[in-house]
Amino acid sequence: MMDLDRLANSPIGRLVPISGVTPGTGDTWRYHAFVPQPLPVTPALDMAALNSASKAAMEVARLDQAVSQLPNPRILVRPVVRREAASTAALEGTYATFGDVLEADFLEDRQLSSEQREIRNYVNATEKGVELLDTYPISVGLVSHLQEILVRGTSSEAYDSGGLRQRQVYIGPRNRPISEARYVPPPEGMILVEGMSDWEKWVNTASDVPLVAKIALAHYQFESLHPFSDGNGRIGRLVALLQLIQEGILRVPILNISSWLEHNRQEYLDSMLEVTMSGSYDKWVAFFSEAVGSQAKAGIAQIDGLLGLKSQMITELRAAGIRGSALEVAENLIGYPVIDVRTAQSMIEKSFEAANNAISRLVEQGILHEITGRTTNRLFACRRVLQLV
């Protein structure tokens, strides 16, 4: 339940009265929503928070450097984006195995489970967001477009998808009174429009605030405003990744922040709420910086592990006398731990028969395993890669 007494005394926002009608019953209700002030130009941060942010940025720079030295960095981006999609969805209560996430790439839309569709939508939103950054800065319009992609074809798609919400929302138990909410963000209308306009300007204004601290503050403010009818957490975490790319510290989306936050979910939620109550950003910035720094280190370790595994598999195949197309497919399995023949054909730019033979050779060598039990449209998995990613 929202602590109205503490929120009424928050130094970084105010309570405003709201009212509405409960769908189904027609009962009217009255309550309060919290409206955060615009973020300060120069936020007061203690030395511990500033140091944490600076160290995290250094780890991200190391990760970017490690990726930039690879001949084809985007091959490693593919599984990382899908891992991020699974983790960020899990934070919102949508669960799917990583194998199901990878399998979704090879299914038609009608074949997708609701969980696979939501997670694939996040992958699509990530790829679109990175593409749009080549032309546009992070903006309300950009994130609104990404939210529309995120909820497309799901139960969360609504009349106000793809734009700022046109209704009151709250964070708390489903189908319970708003008075039991953990947090109630600003009402729809001009308060929300102005809040998001201020957020956009703040994100894109040059600042002496260390980048990871700036991203942490922007994420807090985005979640406090809760601008969309659904998908705010996932879009907010995606924006954090896009900020790293926009600022040039990371060239490709290879940082899996949500996995760490998923394992520290309660502290993640409590830390943001404590900012709202106390007005102090220090612990939140340190917490978020730890997430970024830890996952950057983990990313470097994963790259090393995948490259080592690839080298090991290629050595094993050559020792077994395997050459040609099968080796070409094996070279790419660290990015495609689940694969079908058509994808392999496109990968090696040869005939379907050549790709099918290559897959068969890799199955014979125990590198790939058929996972569908079908005779057509079969999928194959490299379990050794899946264990690493």
Side-chain angles (χ1 to χ4, degrees), residues 5-53:
D5 290 335
R6 286 193 70 190
L7 287 175
N9 294 307
S10 171
I12 58 169
R14 70 186 195 278
L15 290 175
V16 296
I18 56 173
S19 61
V21 177
T22 304
T25 66
D27 296 335
T28 59
W29 52 263
R30 295 180 182 277
Y31 203 57
H32 290 85
F34 183 78
V35 180
Q37 296 173 357
L39 288 167
V41 175
T42 307
L45 294 173
D46 65 19
M47 192 58 66
L50 292 171
N51 286 340
S52 295

Side-chain angles (χ1 to χ4, degrees), residues 162-352:
L164 299 183
R165 56 181 165 81
Q166 299 175 29
R167 49 187 154 148
Q168 182 67 54
V169 297
Y170 60 90
I171 301 170
R174 291 180 179 272
N175 303 316
R176 299 298 301 166
I178 194 171
S179 58
E180 296 182 18
R182 174 183 173 89
Y183 176 74
V184 182
E188 73 279 12
M190 284 309 299
I191 287 179
L192 181 59
V193 171
E194 291 171 359
M196 284 302 293
S197 176
D198 289 334
W199 173 85
E200 177 184 313
K201 293 171 187 173
W202 193 89
V203 166
N204 291 289
T205 298
S207 171
D208 292 330
V209 180
L211 179 57
V212 175
K214 184 173 181 178
I215 293 171
L217 295 175
H219 184 65
Y220 161 76
Q221 190 76 353
F222 185 92
E223 300 306 326
S224 296
L225 290 166
H226 233 63
F228 304 119
S229 55
D230 198 33
N232 293 282
R234 286 168 289 170
I235 293 297
R237 290 184 288 275
L238 175 53
V239 169
L241 185 60
L242 295 179
Q243 281 182 269
L244 288 169
I245 295 173
Q246 176 171 286
E247 296 300 325
I249 193 173
L250 197 63
R251 277 168 272 197
V252 291
I254 200 161
L255 185 66
N256 182 204
I257 303 174
S258 294
S259 178
W260 194 92
L261 295 175
E262 181 188 353
H263 286 94
N264 297 275
R265 184 178 186 274
Q266 197 57 53
E267 187 176 358
Y268 172 49
L269 300 176
D270 289 346
S271 294
M272 283 193 287
L273 187 57
E274 182 57 30
V275 173
T276 303
M277 300 288 194
S278 68
S280 173
Y281 300 106
D282 294 322
K283 290 183 179 179
W284 163 247
V285 169
F287 173 82
F288 190 86
S289 297
E290 185 180 356
V292 172
S294 295
Q295 289 309 101
K297 289 180 183 178
I300 294 171
Q302 187 177 83
I303 289 171
D304 291 342
L306 287 169
L307 293 178
L309 176 58
K310 181 178 78 167
S311 178
Q312 182 181 346
M313 290 191 299
I314 296 302
T315 299
E316 292 172 4
L317 291 170
R318 284 178 174 155
I322 305 297
R323 300 288 185 271
S325 298
L327 278 183
E328 289 185 63
V329 174
E331 288 268 0
N332 291 283
L333 289 178
I334 58 174
Y336 289 83
V338 173
I339 195 170
D340 64 358
V341 177
R342 289 292 183 193
T343 301
Q345 179 186 8
S346 175
M347 188 181 291
I348 64 177
E349 298 182 338
K350 294 180 181 176
S351 67
F352 182 88

